[in-house]
């Protein structure tokens, strides 16, 4: 397997784990730094290896592990990039903080979509994919020993960014009995006192849960009381079903005084490879992130910013509605299929995946390996997203109806076998 393929698998894991495995002459020490060594192991290594084995045996493998939209970017956006790429004015270094036209466009889109007014000069910052912004924000605010509150299970970058910055991650359990919202009143006062940053993410990956506005209000109160900066990862804000619309964290009173929100074109417009996203919200927090970024990157290729402007300007509502109808049909096929075999699952109202509890006594890794070896279906073991992901697997909706239907058919006998063993 090539490294890029491994990176695609869950889009967010240490990209380097299979480098450096060949022999090396020790001319100088290549010992990794303590911070790098403290990063968690790539937890899907076992599944990756098993997937290669199954594929090598000639069996067909259906990949429901990756959350990476399978359909192409809309033509309008591609054409905007093509045109902008031909303009020599775009070939030089971009400004660190993004073109004012792009920031103005983002502010206008945000006002229209969420009813939140942003100053394009100070409250909007383009980032090279929200992963980049999320991975770098810690460097602006975390001193060694500071605590970062991260959801568990959660997108792994919240935690790895903490480790790289020398901070301590405190994992807030996302439990089914609490609708996969963290219980802020259960965070020990000693931890809350040392916390400087908190990450939340709704619609959520991997649990696919959505958050009510009341939860955002609670987060603002917690942040004010404990002097904590809030980063809301809204990568799936546009990916919702059954008429549900996700609100912005910033639409809650006081939120802009305590936090920022990350938005991304990746999932919304099938643009994961393009690396176009933005952070919005509190000007002082964004200034910190901008200062870090101005020292490690030199802004986003202007032609990409032009493509971003096109994405947020053109009327793509038909594309969006069509795209969500596709995901909704896939979600229904998968959930109805699993429920029909007795594997109880609720249809999520947001996100691009389905989070399913595995039968009692079967660990999430064992379940994922069984589904791979016996059904040829790749799912992500929940424990890879944190210890409270144990007992779950995540199915991605980024595969065709045909493949999802086939997957359900192949999973049914494996599920029956699990049930027989349980009784
Ligand atoms: C996909 C994803 C992102 C990253 O999106 P990019 O903008 O492509 O970096 C961020 N957060 C979560 C939870 C995601 O699933």
């Amino acid at each position: 397997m090539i490294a890029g393929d491994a990176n695609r698998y869950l889009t967010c894991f240490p990209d380097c784990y299979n480098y450096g495995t060949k022999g090396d002459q020790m001319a100088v020490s290549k010992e990794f730094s303590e911070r790098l060594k403290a990063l968690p192991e790539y937890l899907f290594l076992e599944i990756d290896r098993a997937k290669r084995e199954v594929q090598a045996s000639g069996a067909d493998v259906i990949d429901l592990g990756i959350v990476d939209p399978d359909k192409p970017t809309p033509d309008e956006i591609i054409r905007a990039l093509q045109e902008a790429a031909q303009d020599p004015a775009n070939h030089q270094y971009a400004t660190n903080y993004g073109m004012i036209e792009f920031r103005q466009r983002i502010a206008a889109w945000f006002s229209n979509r969420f009813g939140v007014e942003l100053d394009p000069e100070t409250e909007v910052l383009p980032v090279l994919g929200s992963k980049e912004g999320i991975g770098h924000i810690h460097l602006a605010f975390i001193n060694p020993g500071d605590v970062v509150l991260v959801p568990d299970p959660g997108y792994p970058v919240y935690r790895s960014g903490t480790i790289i910055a020398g901070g301590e991650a405190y994992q807030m359990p996302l439990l089914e009995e609490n609708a996969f919202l963290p219980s802020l009143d259960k965070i020990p006062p000693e931890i809350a006192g040392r916390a400087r940053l908190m990450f939340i993410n709704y619609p959520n990956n991997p649990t696919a849960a959505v958050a009510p506005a009341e939860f955002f209000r609670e987060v603002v109160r917690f942040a004010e009381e404990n002097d904590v900066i809030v980063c809301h990862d809204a990568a799936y804000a546009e990916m919702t079903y059954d008429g549900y619309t996700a609100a912005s964290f910033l639409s809650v009173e006081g939120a802009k005084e305590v936090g920022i929100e990350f938005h991304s074109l990746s999932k919304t417009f099938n643009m994961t490879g393009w690396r176009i996203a933005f952070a919005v919200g509190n000007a002082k927090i964004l200034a910190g992130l901008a200062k870090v970024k101005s020292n490690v990157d030199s802004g986003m290729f202007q032609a990409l910013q032009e493509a971003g402007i096109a994405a947020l300007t053109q009327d793509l509502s038909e594309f969006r509605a069509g795209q969500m109808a596709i995901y909704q049909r896939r979600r229904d096929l998968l959930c109805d299929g699993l429920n029909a075999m007795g594997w109880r699952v609720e249809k999520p109202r947001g996100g691009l995946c389905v989070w399913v509890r595995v039968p009692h006594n079967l660990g999430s890794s064992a379940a994922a390996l069984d589904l791979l070896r016996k059904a040829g279906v790749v799912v992500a073991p929940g424990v890879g997203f944190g210890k409270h992901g144990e007992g779950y697997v995540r199915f991605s909706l980024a595969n065709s109806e045909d493949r999802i239907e086939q997957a359900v058919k192949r999973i049914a006998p494996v599920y029956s076998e699990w049930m027989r063993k349980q009784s």
Side-chain angles (χ1 to χ4, degrees), residues 129-131 134 155 158 201 205 233 235-236 264 266-267 272 275 277:
S130 48
K131 182 180 185 180
I134 291 166
Y155 184 61
Y158 313 137
N201 163 225
N205 182 16
D233 177 357
Y236 297 96
S264 174
S266 287
K267 314 284 166 47
T272 47
R275 319 311 300 134

Side-chain angles (χ1 to χ4, degrees), residues 374-385:
K374 296 176 182 162
V377 176
V378 179
V379 298
V383 70
F385 300 97

Side-chain angles (χ1 to χ4, degrees), residues 46-59 61 373:
E46 201 185 6
I47 281 281
D48 267 353
R49 200 177 295 125
K51 179 181 162 187
R52 269 172 289 157
E53 276 169 22
V54 173
Q55 278 171 329
S57 78
V61 171
R373 294 198 175 121

Side-chain angles (χ1 to χ4, degrees), residues 334-367:
L334 177 66
C335 294
D336 293 344
L338 294 178
N339 279 316
M341 66 183 84
W343 195 349
R344 215 188 57 75
V345 47
E346 264 181 58
K347 291 180 183 178
R349 284 193 293 164
L352 268 188
C353 59
V354 180
W355 185 242
V356 189
R357 193 195 271 278
V358 300
H360 191 56
N361 288 340
L362 191 63
S364 68
S365 294

Side-chain angles (χ1 to χ4, degrees), residues 91-280:
H91 297 172
Q92 294 179 286
Y93 285 118
T95 63
N96 279 316
Y97 309 120
M99 296 156 68
I100 187 64
E101 294 82 0
F102 186 31
R103 286 182 284 150
Q104 282 165 340
R105 190 56 233 160
I106 291 167
W109 177 83
F110 213 83
S111 164
N112 182 45
R113 166 66 178 86
F114 296 108
V116 174
E117 302 307 317
L118 299 167
D119 177 352
E121 301 266 2
T122 58
E123 296 178 333
V124 177
L125 180 68
V127 293
L128 312 178
S130 48
K131 182 180 185 180
E132 182 265 310
I134 291 166
H136 278 141
I137 184 82
H138 309 75
L139 294 174
F141 297 103
I142 295 303
N143 288 311
D146 285 346
V147 167
V148 180
L149 304 170
V150 303
D152 173 1
Y155 184 61
V157 185
Y158 313 137
R159 179 148 174 256
S160 50
T162 305
I163 294 168
I164 290 168
E168 278 174 38
Y170 175 83
Q171 283 156 288
M172 305 181 287
L174 303 189
L175 305 177
E176 193 162 350
E177 62 257 34
N178 200 39
F180 299 112
L181 302 169
S183 299
L184 305 181
D185 53 356
K186 299 233 170 84
I187 297 170
E190 184 269 330
I191 295 291
R194 285 198 292 134
R196 282 226 67 201
L197 276 182
M198 168 193 249
F199 284 91
I200 51 171
N201 163 225
Y202 294 95
N204 184 259
N205 182 16
T207 68
V210 297
E214 179 48 34
F215 172 71
F216 289 155
R217 280 191 281 275
E218 237 179 75
V219 169
V220 171
R221 273 197 300 276
F222 178 90
E224 289 168 347
E225 278 163 20
N226 296 286
D227 192 15
V228 171
I229 291 170
V230 178
C231 298
H232 180 225
D233 177 357
Y236 297 96
E238 303 308 293
M239 321 297 294
T240 54
Y241 310 99
D242 304 329
Y244 173 80
T245 306
S248 166
F249 170 67
L250 299 176
S251 65
V252 163
E253 199 185 322
K256 212 202 269 177
E257 277 69 59
V258 301
I260 61 171
E261 184 163 79
F262 289 96
H263 286 262
S264 174
L265 305 193
S266 287
K267 314 284 166 47
T268 315
F269 298 109
N270 300 338
M271 294 175 75
T272 47
W274 296 54
R275 319 311 300 134
I276 307 179
F278 49 90
V280 290

